[in-house]
Amino acid sequence: MQENELLFRFIDGTLKDISNFDYNIIDSIWNRTVLLRAIGEYSKAINLLKPHIDKPIFRALYGETLLFTENFEDGISILRNIEETTNLPISLKLSIVLSYLKKVNGIQTEASLKFLKKSFLSEEEIKLNILFLALHNNLTGGAKVFFEYANRLFALGHNVCIAAKVLPPNWYKINVPWIIYNEKIPKFKVTLPDILFSMFWTLTPTSLAINIPVKILLEQGDPTIYEPDKFPKNQIQFMDKCYLSPIKIFVVSKNLKQLLKRRYGREAFYVPNGIDISLFKPALSKNNDIPIIMLVGADEIYFKGLKEVFEALNILKNRGHRFKVIQVTPSGRVIYNFEREVITKPSQEELAHLYAISDIFVTGSYFETFHLPPIEAMASGTAVVTTDNGGVEYCVNGVNSIIVPPKDPIAMAEAIEKLLLDKNLRNKIAEEGLKTARNYSWDKIIKLVEDELYNEVTETNIVTSREPEFKGLIELKDRNYLLLDVKIGNLRDVIKKYIALFSKEDSVNLIIANSPNINVKEIQEIIESLKVSPEEVPDIILLEEPLSDLDIWSIKHYIEQQLF
């Protein structure tokens, strides 16, 4: 068994299924220790850690591991005496806090310690620093879900931002900071986020290079994983390597969860997509002179099956049926010869309106992961006809939808015809669909996501670099004030008020950053002019190295809103 497989099995929680393994194949001392702990080999883990406990992060892990050997006195003593905590993973920070609170006496297993940590996070309403790494800003269902995760977690109080090499989308409202980075890999100089979400599997090498404790791939499927034979061999080899990397995988459908298990042996965390039921909701009435049939997808994306959809609609036209077709598309490109109204990149509000006024929604996809448009149509009170594409696990044939085989225009024409001819059936299908959609509200789904994130951060996680070597520019304290672009003319007033408010005994920092016109000598001269002994002045830190927008975002949780 290779190192990567051992590491991803640990991440997936399936390491216990292996009867024995050679932990010496693990290069990293940290990872070797974490895996030994996972199988209960605490004595071996302690012996591995001893030569490295001069580093705070290894010393914290050492103290925590001692707890599992019932050496509570030494373990608690070590944890309580760790002073540099800024750059420890949140899991180890929690162990330190719990040791001060005398809550770790009697802890015997990692599971019981994890339960304590998670309970403390919940009781204290502690929020997380979450970085979303976006690949693109294109109008796709997957991007929409990714951005919704960011918005929704932010709304729950977490400190969230999206980092990308492109501008924000113009089709979706982003409520969190969108930070453009130009480096190959996003860099942090002060403190690291708790969690990294990546949008697409091609970002896996970038994710692995960032020393963030919890890395998650939000996997929503794409043609490469469903039809690998249609793509170049080297591309599929790269994809395989990414899926076999030690990164947590979230999947949005049961179908994709099974596929990753079958192909890679991965045990992904399943959480379905959500929908905004406050946005996608039924119209008060549908008073269309002729029925409206709605489609979503681009003609040029072959697996959306629009070729067969238009063949089915032609069959119905030839049978004398009257209806209007609205097609929502990200590109506006028209390939198939069929009369329709094409709407390109509507806003989400416009999209919701189109669903609500339509009588029938039709999709012809060959494969999907979690197909959003049908359930958005359900939430809008519109009857659904869909192919059995693997991504409509919420559909029940003849109850809340009509399901037909992919690439079968005759079957699709017959399904649409039933709904055109029988308004009562159309209403029944729509009513049942509306009930289904309410089970997938974002309010419910994002709580499942948040709960799993708390599970992840309370684990002692592996690292994907050689060792956890991150060292920030400063050690943050209980209270930190960050001042940016301070002018020399204001500096004296700032320092004077700061000294008046705090003493040397206070656990407080005044951090001056991105102020190139200020130097240490000027700060010292101001302190001397105030007739205050430097030994009595609370800490003032001048950062000569500029902070990036990502740095400023990442320390937001630790910064007081204002000094005066």
Side-chain angles (χ1 to χ4, degrees), residues 10 23 28 48 65 72 96 113 126 237 273-274 349 359 404 409-410 419 422 434 444 451 457 460 463 535 563:
F10 169 78
Y23 66 88
S28 163
L48 265 179
T65 307
F72 300 114
I96 292 171
L113 181 57
I126 294 172
Q237 287 173 336
N273 280 339
E349 290 73 19
D359 297 281
V404 300
I410 294 175
L419 296 180
D422 190 339
L434 186 58
K444 293 179 180 179
D451 186 67
V457 298
T460 299
V463 295
E535 289 75 23
L563 178 57

PDB file of all heavy atoms in Angstrom, residues 10 23 28 48 65 72 96 113 126 237 273-274 349 359 404 409-410 419 422 434 444 451 457 460 463 535 563:
ATOM      1  N   PHE A  10      -7.076   7.536   5.958  1.00  0.00           N
ATOM      2  CA  PHE A  10      -7.221   8.218   7.242  1.00  0.00           C
ATOM      3  C   PHE A  10      -8.256   9.335   7.124  1.00  0.00           C
ATOM      4  O   PHE A  10      -9.148   9.480   7.965  1.00  0.00           O
ATOM      5  CB  PHE A  10      -5.879   8.797   7.698  1.00  0.00           C
ATOM      6  CG  PHE A  10      -6.002   9.723   8.878  1.00  0.00           C
ATOM      7  CD1 PHE A  10      -6.163   9.221  10.152  1.00  0.00           C
ATOM      8  CD2 PHE A  10      -6.000  11.106   8.695  1.00  0.00           C
ATOM      9  CE1 PHE A  10      -6.312  10.085  11.248  1.00  0.00           C
ATOM     10  CE2 PHE A  10      -6.141  11.968   9.773  1.00  0.00           C
ATOM     11  CZ  PHE A  10      -6.293  11.453  11.055  1.00  0.00           C
ATOM     12  N   TYR A  23       3.796   1.744   8.732  1.00  0.00           N
ATOM     13  CA  TYR A  23       3.731   3.194   8.889  1.00  0.00           C
ATOM     14  C   TYR A  23       5.051   3.872   8.526  1.00  0.00           C
ATOM     15  O   TYR A  23       5.105   5.093   8.369  1.00  0.00           O
ATOM     16  CB  TYR A  23       3.299   3.576  10.307  1.00  0.00           C
ATOM     17  CG  TYR A  23       4.288   3.212  11.393  1.00  0.00           C
ATOM     18  CD1 TYR A  23       5.310   4.082  11.746  1.00  0.00           C
ATOM     19  CD2 TYR A  23       4.187   2.001  12.078  1.00  0.00           C
ATOM     20  CE1 TYR A  23       6.214   3.766  12.740  1.00  0.00           C
ATOM     21  CE2 TYR A  23       5.093   1.668  13.075  1.00  0.00           C
ATOM     22  CZ  TYR A  23       6.107   2.558  13.409  1.00  0.00           C
ATOM     23  OH  TYR A  23       7.006   2.239  14.395  1.00  0.00           O
ATOM     24  N   SER A  28       6.477  11.994   6.510  1.00  0.00           N
ATOM     25  CA  SER A  28       6.302  13.030   7.517  1.00  0.00           C
ATOM     26  C   SER A  28       6.169  12.441   8.918  1.00  0.00           C
ATOM     27  O   SER A  28       5.346  11.550   9.156  1.00  0.00           O
ATOM     28  CB  SER A  28       5.057  13.861   7.188  1.00  0.00           C
ATOM     29  OG  SER A  28       4.624  14.604   8.284  1.00  0.00           O
ATOM     30  N   LEU A  48       7.937   8.850  18.711  1.00  0.00           N
ATOM     31  CA  LEU A  48       8.239   9.582  17.477  1.00  0.00           C
ATOM     32  C   LEU A  48       8.284  11.093  17.713  1.00  0.00           C
ATOM     33  O   LEU A  48       9.096  11.807  17.126  1.00  0.00           O
ATOM     34  CB  LEU A  48       7.167   9.281  16.421  1.00  0.00           C
ATOM     35  CG  LEU A  48       7.424   8.174  15.410  1.00  0.00           C
ATOM     36  CD1 LEU A  48       6.219   8.038  14.488  1.00  0.00           C
ATOM     37  CD2 LEU A  48       8.666   8.465  14.585  1.00  0.00           C
ATOM     38  N   THR A  65      -1.393  13.707  22.943  1.00  0.00           N
ATOM     39  CA  THR A  65      -1.244  12.253  22.841  1.00  0.00           C
ATOM     40  C   THR A  65      -1.052  11.622  24.215  1.00  0.00           C
ATOM     41  O   THR A  65      -1.533  10.502  24.472  1.00  0.00           O
ATOM     42  CB  THR A  65      -0.071  11.898  21.913  1.00  0.00           C
ATOM     43  OG1 THR A  65      -0.238  12.569  20.661  1.00  0.00           O
ATOM     44  CG2 THR A  65       0.003  10.405  21.654  1.00  0.00           C
ATOM     45  N   PHE A  72      -2.443  12.132  32.442  1.00  0.00           N
ATOM     46  CA  PHE A  72      -3.145  13.413  32.378  1.00  0.00           C
ATOM     47  C   PHE A  72      -2.325  14.554  32.963  1.00  0.00           C
ATOM     48  O   PHE A  72      -2.342  15.672  32.450  1.00  0.00           O
ATOM     49  CB  PHE A  72      -4.491  13.309  33.106  1.00  0.00           C
ATOM     50  CG  PHE A  72      -5.398  12.275  32.526  1.00  0.00           C
ATOM     51  CD1 PHE A  72      -5.743  11.148  33.247  1.00  0.00           C
ATOM     52  CD2 PHE A  72      -5.898  12.406  31.234  1.00  0.00           C
ATOM     53  CE1 PHE A  72      -6.579  10.185  32.723  1.00  0.00           C
ATOM     54  CE2 PHE A  72      -6.732  11.450  30.689  1.00  0.00           C
ATOM     55  CZ  PHE A  72      -7.075  10.331  31.430  1.00  0.00           C
ATOM     56  N   ILE A  96      -5.719  22.843  24.157  1.00  0.00           N
ATOM     57  CA  ILE A  96      -5.085  23.745  25.120  1.00  0.00           C
ATOM     58  C   ILE A  96      -6.139  24.434  25.977  1.00  0.00           C
ATOM     59  O   ILE A  96      -6.029  24.495  27.211  1.00  0.00           O
ATOM     60  CB  ILE A  96      -4.209  24.768  24.377  1.00  0.00           C
ATOM     61  CG1 ILE A  96      -2.997  24.062  23.747  1.00  0.00           C
ATOM     62  CG2 ILE A  96      -3.751  25.876  25.321  1.00  0.00           C
ATOM     63  CD1 ILE A  96      -2.193  24.938  22.815  1.00  0.00           C
ATOM     64  N   LEU A 113     -12.468  12.986  23.090  1.00  0.00           N
ATOM     65  CA  LEU A 113     -11.871  14.324  23.053  1.00  0.00           C
ATOM     66  C   LEU A 113     -12.503  15.154  21.936  1.00  0.00           C
ATOM     67  O   LEU A 113     -12.782  16.345  22.107  1.00  0.00           O
ATOM     68  CB  LEU A 113     -10.366  14.222  22.851  1.00  0.00           C
ATOM     69  CG  LEU A 113      -9.606  15.558  22.813  1.00  0.00           C
ATOM     70  CD1 LEU A 113      -9.839  16.360  24.086  1.00  0.00           C
ATOM     71  CD2 LEU A 113      -8.113  15.329  22.585  1.00  0.00           C
ATOM     72  N   ILE A 126     -18.232  29.395  18.392  1.00  0.00           N
ATOM     73  CA  ILE A 126     -16.979  29.755  17.718  1.00  0.00           C
ATOM     74  C   ILE A 126     -17.126  29.513  16.217  1.00  0.00           C
ATOM     75  O   ILE A 126     -17.559  28.438  15.789  1.00  0.00           O
ATOM     76  CB  ILE A 126     -15.807  28.945  18.292  1.00  0.00           C
ATOM     77  CG1 ILE A 126     -15.575  29.354  19.756  1.00  0.00           C
ATOM     78  CG2 ILE A 126     -14.536  29.155  17.468  1.00  0.00           C
ATOM     79  CD1 ILE A 126     -14.585  28.500  20.483  1.00  0.00           C
ATOM     80  N   GLN A 237      -5.174  10.481 -16.373  1.00  0.00           N
ATOM     81  CA  GLN A 237      -4.166  10.099 -15.383  1.00  0.00           C
ATOM     82  C   GLN A 237      -4.009  11.196 -14.330  1.00  0.00           C
ATOM     83  O   GLN A 237      -3.855  10.913 -13.139  1.00  0.00           O
ATOM     84  CB  GLN A 237      -2.831   9.814 -16.072  1.00  0.00           C
ATOM     85  CG  GLN A 237      -2.813   8.509 -16.862  1.00  0.00           C
ATOM     86  CD  GLN A 237      -1.538   8.328 -17.666  1.00  0.00           C
ATOM     87  OE1 GLN A 237      -0.842   9.301 -18.010  1.00  0.00           O
ATOM     88  NE2 GLN A 237      -1.216   7.082 -17.995  1.00  0.00           N
ATOM     89  N   ASN A 273     -27.318  18.957  -2.898  1.00  0.00           N
ATOM     90  CA  ASN A 273     -27.390  20.390  -3.147  1.00  0.00           C
ATOM     91  C   ASN A 273     -28.649  20.974  -2.522  1.00  0.00           C
ATOM     92  O   ASN A 273     -29.645  20.265  -2.300  1.00  0.00           O
ATOM     93  CB  ASN A 273     -27.396  20.676  -4.649  1.00  0.00           C
ATOM     94  CG  ASN A 273     -26.001  20.616  -5.242  1.00  0.00           C
ATOM     95  OD1 ASN A 273     -25.013  20.753  -4.532  1.00  0.00           O
ATOM     96  ND2 ASN A 273     -25.912  20.421  -6.544  1.00  0.00           N
ATOM     97  N   GLY A 274     -28.597  22.257  -2.275  1.00  0.00           N
ATOM     98  CA  GLY A 274     -29.763  22.946  -1.756  1.00  0.00           C
ATOM     99  C   GLY A 274     -30.339  23.898  -2.787  1.00  0.00           C
ATOM    100  O   GLY A 274     -29.713  24.194  -3.807  1.00  0.00           O
ATOM    101  N   GLU A 349     -32.998  36.065 -10.114  1.00  0.00           N
ATOM    102  CA  GLU A 349     -34.398  36.497  -9.959  1.00  0.00           C
ATOM    103  C   GLU A 349     -35.171  36.278 -11.258  1.00  0.00           C
ATOM    104  O   GLU A 349     -36.326  35.818 -11.238  1.00  0.00           O
ATOM    105  CB  GLU A 349     -34.446  37.974  -9.546  1.00  0.00           C
ATOM    106  CG  GLU A 349     -33.956  38.264  -8.137  1.00  0.00           C
ATOM    107  CD  GLU A 349     -32.439  38.162  -7.977  1.00  0.00           C
ATOM    108  OE1 GLU A 349     -31.729  38.223  -9.007  1.00  0.00           O
ATOM    109  OE2 GLU A 349     -31.973  38.007  -6.832  1.00  0.00           O
ATOM    110  N   ASP A 359     -45.160  25.999 -17.571  1.00  0.00           N
ATOM    111  CA  ASP A 359     -46.072  24.899 -17.230  1.00  0.00           C
ATOM    112  C   ASP A 359     -45.337  23.564 -17.103  1.00  0.00           C
ATOM    113  O   ASP A 359     -45.697  22.731 -16.273  1.00  0.00           O
ATOM    114  CB  ASP A 359     -47.162  24.782 -18.300  1.00  0.00           C
ATOM    115  CG  ASP A 359     -48.023  26.033 -18.369  1.00  0.00           C
ATOM    116  OD1 ASP A 359     -48.912  26.171 -17.509  1.00  0.00           O
ATOM    117  OD2 ASP A 359     -47.786  26.871 -19.252  1.00  0.00           O
ATOM    118  N   VAL A 404     -37.853   9.468 -18.179  1.00  0.00           N
ATOM    119  CA  VAL A 404     -37.713   8.703 -19.422  1.00  0.00           C
ATOM    120  C   VAL A 404     -36.244   8.337 -19.613  1.00  0.00           C
ATOM    121  O   VAL A 404     -35.358   8.946 -19.011  1.00  0.00           O
ATOM    122  CB  VAL A 404     -38.224   9.514 -20.640  1.00  0.00           C
ATOM    123  CG1 VAL A 404     -39.689   9.867 -20.470  1.00  0.00           C
ATOM    124  CG2 VAL A 404     -37.391  10.774 -20.846  1.00  0.00           C
ATOM    125  N   PRO A 409     -36.003  10.281 -27.822  1.00  0.00           N
ATOM    126  CA  PRO A 409     -36.926  11.380 -28.087  1.00  0.00           C
ATOM    127  C   PRO A 409     -38.391  10.941 -28.162  1.00  0.00           C
ATOM    128  O   PRO A 409     -39.282  11.730 -27.831  1.00  0.00           O
ATOM    129  CB  PRO A 409     -36.437  11.940 -29.426  1.00  0.00           C
ATOM    130  CG  PRO A 409     -35.603  10.877 -30.040  1.00  0.00           C
ATOM    131  CD  PRO A 409     -35.006  10.116 -28.916  1.00  0.00           C
ATOM    132  N   ILE A 410     -38.637   9.702 -28.597  1.00  0.00           N
ATOM    133  CA  ILE A 410     -40.033   9.240 -28.686  1.00  0.00           C
ATOM    134  C   ILE A 410     -40.638   9.130 -27.285  1.00  0.00           C
ATOM    135  O   ILE A 410     -41.761   9.590 -27.029  1.00  0.00           O
ATOM    136  CB  ILE A 410     -40.102   7.884 -29.431  1.00  0.00           C
ATOM    137  CG1 ILE A 410     -39.673   8.091 -30.890  1.00  0.00           C
ATOM    138  CG2 ILE A 410     -41.522   7.309 -29.362  1.00  0.00           C
ATOM    139  CD1 ILE A 410     -39.585   6.797 -31.683  1.00  0.00           C
ATOM    140  N   LEU A 419     -48.582  15.422 -20.196  1.00  0.00           N
ATOM    141  CA  LEU A 419     -48.776  16.621 -19.382  1.00  0.00           C
ATOM    142  C   LEU A 419     -49.486  17.719 -20.160  1.00  0.00           C
ATOM    143  O   LEU A 419     -50.216  18.531 -19.575  1.00  0.00           O
ATOM    144  CB  LEU A 419     -47.420  17.134 -18.875  1.00  0.00           C
ATOM    145  CG  LEU A 419     -46.661  16.182 -17.933  1.00  0.00           C
ATOM    146  CD1 LEU A 419     -45.338  16.794 -17.502  1.00  0.00           C
ATOM    147  CD2 LEU A 419     -47.494  15.838 -16.705  1.00  0.00           C
ATOM    148  N   ASP A 422     -53.285  16.475 -20.159  1.00  0.00           N
ATOM    149  CA  ASP A 422     -53.955  16.241 -18.871  1.00  0.00           C
ATOM    150  C   ASP A 422     -53.501  17.290 -17.859  1.00  0.00           C
ATOM    151  O   ASP A 422     -52.483  17.115 -17.179  1.00  0.00           O
ATOM    152  CB  ASP A 422     -53.621  14.830 -18.375  1.00  0.00           C
ATOM    153  CG  ASP A 422     -54.472  14.417 -17.180  1.00  0.00           C
ATOM    154  OD1 ASP A 422     -55.006  15.311 -16.492  1.00  0.00           O
ATOM    155  OD2 ASP A 422     -54.560  13.199 -16.909  1.00  0.00           O
ATOM    156  N   LEU A 434     -43.353  20.200  -5.568  1.00  0.00           N
ATOM    157  CA  LEU A 434     -43.198  21.288  -4.605  1.00  0.00           C
ATOM    158  C   LEU A 434     -42.915  20.742  -3.208  1.00  0.00           C
ATOM    159  O   LEU A 434     -42.048  21.253  -2.483  1.00  0.00           O
ATOM    160  CB  LEU A 434     -44.463  22.148  -4.601  1.00  0.00           C
ATOM    161  CG  LEU A 434     -44.446  23.419  -3.756  1.00  0.00           C
ATOM    162  CD1 LEU A 434     -43.325  24.348  -4.188  1.00  0.00           C
ATOM    163  CD2 LEU A 434     -45.797  24.128  -3.869  1.00  0.00           C
ATOM    164  N   LYS A 444     -31.640  23.960   5.445  1.00  0.00           N
ATOM    165  CA  LYS A 444     -31.400  22.607   5.965  1.00  0.00           C
ATOM    166  C   LYS A 444     -30.044  22.074   5.522  1.00  0.00           C
ATOM    167  O   LYS A 444     -29.293  21.500   6.314  1.00  0.00           O
ATOM    168  CB  LYS A 444     -32.506  21.659   5.484  1.00  0.00           C
ATOM    169  CG  LYS A 444     -33.881  21.951   6.051  1.00  0.00           C
ATOM    170  CD  LYS A 444     -34.912  20.965   5.496  1.00  0.00           C
ATOM    171  CE  LYS A 444     -36.301  21.248   6.047  1.00  0.00           C
ATOM    172  NZ  LYS A 444     -37.324  20.324   5.494  1.00  0.00           N
ATOM    173  N   ASP A 451     -22.119  21.296  10.178  1.00  0.00           N
ATOM    174  CA  ASP A 451     -21.868  20.255  11.177  1.00  0.00           C
ATOM    175  C   ASP A 451     -20.676  19.396  10.791  1.00  0.00           C
ATOM    176  O   ASP A 451     -19.836  19.059  11.638  1.00  0.00           O
ATOM    177  CB  ASP A 451     -23.120  19.384  11.341  1.00  0.00           C
ATOM    178  CG  ASP A 451     -22.976  18.378  12.471  1.00  0.00           C
ATOM    179  OD1 ASP A 451     -22.916  18.797  13.640  1.00  0.00           O
ATOM    180  OD2 ASP A 451     -22.881  17.167  12.178  1.00  0.00           O
ATOM    181  N   VAL A 457     -12.680  19.977  11.700  1.00  0.00           N
ATOM    182  CA  VAL A 457     -11.683  20.806  12.400  1.00  0.00           C
ATOM    183  C   VAL A 457     -11.383  20.297  13.796  1.00  0.00           C
ATOM    184  O   VAL A 457     -10.369  20.690  14.391  1.00  0.00           O
ATOM    185  CB  VAL A 457     -12.104  22.295  12.467  1.00  0.00           C
ATOM    186  CG1 VAL A 457     -12.234  22.882  11.089  1.00  0.00           C
ATOM    187  CG2 VAL A 457     -13.379  22.490  13.283  1.00  0.00           C
ATOM    188  N   THR A 460      -7.501  15.753  14.606  1.00  0.00           N
ATOM    189  CA  THR A 460      -6.100  16.094  14.386  1.00  0.00           C
ATOM    190  C   THR A 460      -5.760  15.639  12.977  1.00  0.00           C
ATOM    191  O   THR A 460      -5.756  14.437  12.684  1.00  0.00           O
ATOM    192  CB  THR A 460      -5.191  15.404  15.413  1.00  0.00           C
ATOM    193  OG1 THR A 460      -5.575  15.853  16.715  1.00  0.00           O
ATOM    194  CG2 THR A 460      -3.737  15.767  15.168  1.00  0.00           C
ATOM    195  N   VAL A 463      -0.846  16.574   7.377  1.00  0.00           N
ATOM    196  CA  VAL A 463      -0.369  17.694   6.570  1.00  0.00           C
ATOM    197  C   VAL A 463      -0.012  17.161   5.183  1.00  0.00           C
ATOM    198  O   VAL A 463       0.267  15.975   5.019  1.00  0.00           O
ATOM    199  CB  VAL A 463       0.858  18.377   7.200  1.00  0.00           C
ATOM    200  CG1 VAL A 463       0.484  19.014   8.519  1.00  0.00           C
ATOM    201  CG2 VAL A 463       2.012  17.396   7.380  1.00  0.00           C
ATOM    202  N   GLU A 535       9.311  50.166  28.810  1.00  0.00           N
ATOM    203  CA  GLU A 535       8.948  48.926  29.494  1.00  0.00           C
ATOM    204  C   GLU A 535       7.484  48.920  29.942  1.00  0.00           C
ATOM    205  O   GLU A 535       6.933  47.872  30.253  1.00  0.00           O
ATOM    206  CB  GLU A 535       9.851  48.715  30.717  1.00  0.00           C
ATOM    207  CG  GLU A 535      11.291  48.354  30.402  1.00  0.00           C
ATOM    208  CD  GLU A 535      12.093  49.558  29.904  1.00  0.00           C
ATOM    209  OE1 GLU A 535      11.707  50.704  30.208  1.00  0.00           O
ATOM    210  OE2 GLU A 535      13.105  49.344  29.202  1.00  0.00           O
ATOM    211  N   LEU A 563     -10.044  50.773  17.431  1.00  0.00           N
ATOM    212  CA  LEU A 563      -9.224  51.065  18.602  1.00  0.00           C
ATOM    213  C   LEU A 563      -9.856  52.127  19.477  1.00  0.00           C
ATOM    214  O   LEU A 563      -9.821  52.048  20.693  1.00  0.00           O
ATOM    215  CB  LEU A 563      -7.826  51.513  18.147  1.00  0.00           C
ATOM    216  CG  LEU A 563      -6.832  51.898  19.244  1.00  0.00           C
ATOM    217  CD1 LEU A 563      -6.652  50.746  20.223  1.00  0.00           C
ATOM    218  CD2 LEU A 563      -5.492  52.276  18.628  1.00  0.00           C
TER     219      LEU A 563
END
